[in-house]
Amino acid sequence: MTASNPSPKRLLVENLAWSNDVQQRDPTYFQRLAHAQTPTFLWIGCSDSRVPAETITHASPGDLFVLRNIANMVGTGSNSSSALEYAVCVLEVKHVIVCGHHGCGGVRAALLPENDATPNVNERIEPLRRLAHFHRKELDALPTLDARINRLVELNVQAQLDVIGHSEPMSRARKRPKLHGWVYGLKDGLLRELTSEL
Ligand code: CO
């Protein structure tokens, strides 16, 4: 959908067209999918509209169990812990992917002074400020803000994997899923592997 100012109605019309397309190609597709979900992956990504998990991986409904929030973080709250628990302990996904992206606005905000207009975002990204402070020597040595953002994006992906790896749901998993850290490049549409368990 490339219209510059699409309306909600447009989304509904596009949905009808999509549903018709899918059913024409595979008449029992939705019936099979409605029966149960058995995703292989838990995808933890940023809410950024430019990083839609299914689109950039050519994934289909049923493939990814998705948690997206500002700067792809797994916090202590029930939002992320419940998604992690359900994916790991109930759905028994085989892989957990944390995907950050270059130029992340949430990560950028953590490197700039607090914005009084966004108190909830400020609270949300507080762990990122602490992470940036912890790595300030390495970050300060980088030549530009963009370079510092992109490095902090990587450090954040690694930090989230550490949190997940030591989380309570992971300790209860019948078969521990493999953890993967990826970073998506907005300028080339490519995913880069930072870290991957074999
Ligand atoms: Co982002």
Side-chain angles (χ1 to χ4, degrees), residues 46 48 71 101 104-106:
C46 185
D48 193 305
H101 68 98
C104 183

Side-chain angles (χ1 to χ4, degrees), residues 9 13 20 71 80 133 160 162:
K9 182 75 184 162
V13 169
N20 285 338
S80 53
H133 184 72
Q160 301 312 315
D162 290 344

Side-chain angles (χ1 to χ4, degrees), residues 72-105:
N72 42 271
M73 288 194 285
V74 181
T76 51
S78 64
N79 184 309
S80 53
S81 61
S82 59
L84 185 61
E85 178 179 72
Y86 196 71
V88 167
C89 301
V90 180
L91 297 173
E92 299 187 339
V93 296
K94 293 183 173 61
H95 302 273
V96 177
I97 296 160
V98 175
C99 183
H101 68 98
H102 287 161
C104 183

Side-chain angles (χ1 to χ4, degrees), residues 16 31 33 43 47 61 65 75 80 104 119 126 129 140 148 157 160 162 175 190 192 194 197:
L16 186 60
Q31 284 166 35
L33 209 57
W43 175 283
S47 294
F65 191 73
S80 53
C104 183
E126 185 54 34
R129 287 193 184 281
D140 286 349
R148 288 193 284 281
V157 167
Q160 301 312 315
D162 290 344
K175 192 166 188 302
L190 293 175
R192 293 156 180 78
L194 275 188
E197 288 181 348

